[in-house]
């Protein structure tokens, strides 16, 4: 396995007020087929030190106030071991003639994907941070939105008629959004000092596209649901003795076939 990469970064600072940064990565790996081995992943970031502006300088209780944001593209190369090649392996032996002579057959392994590519994501991040009251009270609020695409998935709509396993393809899409907030207080009195910090995180995710099979009811669909959500029946408990099967006084017993344990 061979990895190659080139990265660069360019930053600009104007009068400690306006900040800009441009970064990129140009990466490649030989585990991808020709034409898919190298990809460019750029990113840009901007910052504004608001407290350096003249209209805020008269407010001495504001010690730091900064607005920032970034947007970039990233990639992930967790595609597997050269799965763009088709592999064969020794299969069963077949015998011919009255004096048997064996012929070894060849089995086709999982189907290859000649268009294998990186998993990718477009990531947006924006926030505001600051400090007031001689840096005693500080805060930070961030919002993020990450759109993942070309995720490796096995097609759910594939037919089993070919008698072989389908490969992973770059067909999946998902989205993560959320906010992170921090509020802290730093105080010093003589030789005694203390620090209090509070954090709050809000995160949401959902599948945008997973090529799932047709589902007749909305509640059966994975698309649009949170990433990693578990599906299945709710277990109400296990019957541990014959007495547990008997109805209690004043209680009706209802047994669903899918809840009854089979040992």
């Amino acid at each position: 396995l061979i990895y190659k990469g080139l990265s660069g970064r360019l930053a600009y600072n104007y009068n400690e007020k306006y900040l800009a940064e441009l970064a990129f990565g140009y990466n490649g790996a030989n585990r991808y087929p020709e034409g898919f081995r190298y990809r460019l992943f750029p990113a840009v970031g901007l910052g504004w030190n608001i407290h350096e502006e003249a209209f805020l300088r008269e407010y001495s209780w504001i010690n730091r106030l900064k607005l920032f944001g970034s947007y970039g593209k990233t990639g992930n190369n967790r595609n597997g071991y050269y799965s763009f090649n088709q592999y064969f392996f020794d299969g069963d032996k077949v015998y011919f003639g009255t004096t048997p002579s064996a012929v070894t057959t060849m089995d086709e392994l999982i189907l290859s994907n000649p268009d294998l590519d990186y998993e990718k994501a477009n990531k947006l991040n924006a926030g505001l941070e600051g400090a007031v009251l001689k840096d005693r009270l500080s805060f930070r609020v961030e919002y993020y939105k990450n759109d993942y695409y070309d995720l490796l998935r096995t097609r759910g709509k594939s037919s089993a008629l070919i008698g072989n396993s389908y490969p992973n393809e770059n067909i999946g899409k998902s989205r993560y959004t959320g906010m992170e907030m921090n509020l802290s207080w730093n105080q010093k009195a003589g030789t005694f000092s203390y620090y209090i910090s509070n954090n709050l995180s809000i995160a949401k995710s959902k599948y945008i596209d997973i090529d799932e099979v047709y589902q007749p009811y909305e509640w059966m669909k994975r698309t649009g649901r949170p990433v990693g959500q578990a599906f299945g029946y709710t277990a109400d408990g296990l019957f541990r003795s014959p007495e547990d099967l008997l109805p209690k006084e004043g209680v009706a017993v209802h047994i669903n076939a899918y809840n009854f344990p089979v040992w």
Side-chain angles (χ1 to χ4, degrees), residues 9-24:
R9 174 175 172 268
L10 178 65
Y12 178 74
N13 183 340
Y14 178 75
N15 202 26
E16 297 296 329
K17 291 182 183 179
Y18 312 111
L19 312 171
E21 184 172 318
L22 178 65
F24 75 92

Side-chain angles (χ1 to χ4, degrees), residues 183-246:
L183 184 66
S184 60
W185 179 269
N186 185 15
Q187 180 71 48
K188 184 176 182 180
T191 59
F192 176 75
S193 62
Y194 64 93
Y195 176 79
I196 301 175
S197 179
N198 295 280
N199 296 283
L200 175 64
S201 296
I202 301 173
K204 294 182 179 181
S205 66
K206 68 176 180 178
Y207 290 112
I208 304 298
D209 187 5
I210 57 174
D211 194 68
E212 64 179 324
V213 297
Y214 169 76
Q215 301 290 358
Y217 303 106
E218 190 66 28
W219 59 268
M220 299 176 67
K221 296 180 180 179
R222 267 66 168 172
T223 302
R225 303 283 185 174
V227 176
Q229 176 177 327
F231 285 81
Y233 294 110
T234 301
D236 296 326
L238 299 176
F239 298 114
R240 301 180 180 276
S241 66
E243 288 74 17
D244 291 338
L245 295 173
L246 299 176

